[in-house]
Amino acid sequence: MTRVLVPDHIDAAAVPALGARVHGLRGETMGTTWWVLWADRDATRQAAVRAAIEAELDLVVAQMSTWLPSSDLSRFNRAAPGSRHTLPEAFADVLQAALWLAEASAGAFNPAAGALVNRWGFGPAPRHTDPGFTPPDETELCAALRTQDWRRLAFDAATREATQPGGLLLDLSAIAKGHAVDRVARALAGLGIAHALVEVGGELRGQGLRPDGMPWWVELECPPVAPGHSPPPPTRVALHGLSVATSGDYRRAYRHQGRHLPHSIDPRSGRPVAHGLASVSVLHTEALWADAWSTALTVAGRDAGLALAEAHGIAALFVQREADGGLTETLTGAMARLAG
Ligand code: AMP
Ligand code: MG
């Protein structure tokens, strides 16, 4: 049986664009891909829509990329100890959200974990795929752990100023893609496009309806199942004014000396997570929060993550890999309500 998740709020003003056709565009950004579908009667504005989408994605990259040496974030990461910087608006907004979640998750989510992310081979360089790459030893781990106290940023949201305490490396990769999805969705609305489905690197947001009056349906990706086990039933989501993000331990990961090392790092231990959580999907009205929470809950692990998600009313689906290789699903109360 398929599980179906539908939003608790149906927008009464969302009338399908009768006679409209679904248009699509795709491209590459942030080391991954994006695609957008939208319903429109006007078939002549593909170029304008592409330009609007790319402007938003480029803005996020120019401000928050860890890969682009000229981004505002990279420049902040290289800045002199004690220097104070006024951040551009989007960067400051995303950092403020990330810092809130760092406090709320007691550091499971940490935007200042860049040194750890890099040392485990998930930053710009060196990559874990590079010849001769080795994971950090204890000394290197301790050095990276010392740099990641987000409170030392002394960030002031009113003035958008943050301090580089020295060697603190920001990494907003767990939240910036979600923000990019929100920006693209808002830009489309600004062009008068009320009905659209936006995806960046696996994070999605749907608004309005398809021309046939149906919501934008998407199916959640199921983590790989060990031989001899059947996958859990598929989950379909009606993305109507809703976003979904999934973090998992199986997509960006490598093996070292028999250990599975995913790109979600627990900043408290300094190590990639290893608690058997295969994936966490979060539904939220904003893609930024879906993205950030899915990472935070992945790092927290199923039991602590469930408690944290319940405390904040977050709609989350946890998929745990059991010792025998089978997958067990757990839904938070808010997610169970969307499942009817
Ligand atoms: P996501 O796919 O949204 O879960 O984001 C994963 C990326 O976020 C990683 O590739 C790192 O760049 C970064 N990251 C890893 N661990 C954390 C963490 N505990 N808190 C915040 N960002 C993290
Ligand atoms: Mg995330």
Side-chain angles (χ1 to χ4, degrees):
M1 258 255 302
T2 300
R3 178 189 295 123
V4 175
L5 302 171
V6 291
D8 47 16
H9 174 79
I10 306 292
D11 182 2
V15 180
L18 291 174
R21 236 173 32 85
V22 174
H23 304 265
L25 284 171
R26 59 178 65 239
E28 288 178 13
T29 187
M30 301 178 211
T32 183
T33 54
W34 62 265
W35 54 259
V36 172
L37 298 176
W38 76 97
D40 206 348
R41 287 192 198 93
D42 183 349
T44 66
R45 52 177 176 170
Q46 298 254 343
V49 173
R50 178 177 285 281
I53 294 168
E54 288 181 346
E56 299 301 333
L57 298 173
D58 291 350
L59 179 144
V60 174
V61 170
Q63 293 192 14
M64 291 170 245
S65 169
T66 53
W67 302 74
L68 190 69
S70 62
S71 74
D72 294 286
L73 183 144
S74 296
R75 285 190 285 130
F76 178 87
N77 285 352
R78 287 195 306 270
S83 56
R84 204 138 168 83
H85 305 263
T86 304
L87 308 181
E89 212 168 317
F91 183 0
D93 287 350
V94 173
L95 181 61
Q96 188 182 5
L99 291 171
W100 181 88
L101 191 53
E103 294 291 339
S105 68
F109 186 93
N110 184 348
L116 283 169
V117 170
N118 288 351
R119 195 52 200 86
W120 283 101
F122 295 109
R127 299 285 299 162
H128 62 82
T129 44
D130 290 346
F133 174 86
T134 49
D137 59 26
E138 285 303 321
T139 317
E140 291 169 312
L141 258 192
C142 288
L145 274 166
R146 274 198 297 276
T147 67
Q148 47 132 21
D149 180 0
W150 69 86
R151 294 185 185 96
R152 296 177 69 217
L153 287 163
F155 177 63
D156 181 342
T159 60
R160 306 201 309 262
E161 283 181 324
T163 300
Q164 169 54 270
L168 184 150
L169 300 188
L170 287 175
D171 179 343
L172 295 173
S173 306
I175 184 170
K177 282 205 298 268
H179 176 65
V181 168
D182 288 332
R183 293 191 78 91
V184 168
R186 270 199 300 273
L188 294 173
L191 290 175
I193 295 171
H195 310 283
L197 182 61
V198 178
E199 193 256 16
V200 179
E203 329 290 9
L204 289 134
R205 171 172 178 79
Q207 51 201 25
L209 298 165
R210 298 190 323 210
D212 62 3
M214 291 296 281
W216 303 97
W217 286 106
V218 300
E219 193 161 308
L220 299 188
E221 185 181 290
C222 178
V225 197
H229 292 273
S230 40
T235 297
R236 298 188 80 213
V237 192
L239 288 183
H240 175 75
L242 209 54
S243 307
V244 63
T246 301
S247 288
D249 77 348
Y250 57 96
R251 255 179 296 165
R252 294 191 183 212
Y254 61 99
R255 287 195 82 75
H256 180 75
Q257 294 179 342
R259 282 186 303 154
H260 176 74
L261 303 173
H263 74 150
S264 309
I265 314 288
D266 187 337
R268 297 156 309 178
S269 67
R271 297 169 192 283
V273 296
H275 40 41
L277 197 49
S279 74
V280 180
S281 296
V282 171
L283 265 60
H284 199 285
T285 49
E286 284 178 66
L288 172 142
W289 288 114
D291 188 4
W293 273 111
S294 66
T295 305
L297 300 177
T298 294
V299 174
R302 181 174 59 181
D303 296 341
L306 268 170
L308 184 61
E310 292 294 4
H312 290 274
I314 297 299
L317 166 68
F318 292 74
V319 184
Q320 181 77 22
R321 194 174 294 106
E322 303 296 352
D324 69 354
L327 298 176
T328 310
E329 294 188 321
T330 315
L331 281 70
T332 61
M335 189 65 114
R337 278 193 293 284
L338 298 180

